[in-house]
Amino acid sequence: MNLISEARWERWLKATAAGTDSAAVASAAIDTGTASRALVSAEIGTVSEGGKLEITVAESDSATGTFATVAAMPAAVATSDTSWVMDVPLTKRYIKISYQRTVANVALDSGMLLTYSGKNVPPDQPAGLMKIVK
């Protein structure tokens, strides 16, 4: 298997200064083509004590359609200099990834997206690193 010919790696979020959000902040619509899964990562920078983060993935048949949530990593206290990763099944072509920071400042270093058409879910990862949505 040649991974690069079966997967697409792209950035969905640029570095975002420490802060909180009054509402969820959504990415633009992302065309996932024929991919059946999306691996979504958020690289977390400095977190003030008690800072919470929530990541949500929503999908739609069109870039301008109605997006319905398919997976969410609920608001949880974030830890500085860590990664949050979700592996999400896709049934529609377009997705939007959103985040919301509450309670105290959370800085986001970046967010990456890997779309692929794998039949196998990745193996279990270390606790706190990955959440698999089946």
Side-chain angles (χ1 to χ4, degrees), residues 7-123:
R8 181 175 175 194
W9 184 247
E10 63 186 291
R11 189 178 207 172
W12 69 270
L13 176 67
K14 294 180 180 178
T16 304
T20 59
D21 309 297
S22 58
V25 179
S27 70
I30 301 166
D31 186 347
T32 64
T34 60
S36 62
R37 298 194 73 85
L39 187 96
V40 177
S41 78
E43 305 304 319
I44 301 167
T46 304
V47 178
S48 296
E49 186 173 343
K52 290 187 176 185
L53 176 65
E54 179 175 6
I55 305 287
T56 304
V57 178
E59 64 182 1
S60 175
D61 287 320
S62 71
T64 58
T66 300
F67 284 77
T69 299
V70 292
M73 193 172 283
V77 175
T79 304
S80 294
D81 302 318
T82 56
S83 298
W84 281 12
V85 182
M86 289 191 297
D87 187 29
V88 181
L90 302 175
T91 59
K92 308 207 183 277
R93 181 170 182 154
Y94 295 89
I95 65 170
K96 285 186 179 181
I97 305 165
S98 61
Y99 67 87
Q100 186 170 9
R101 304 165 297 167
T102 57
V103 181
N105 288 342
V106 175
L108 298 170
D109 292 340
S110 70
M112 299 301 295
L113 169 66
L114 173 71
T115 52
Y116 66 102
S117 293
K119 293 183 180 181
N120 298 318
V121 174

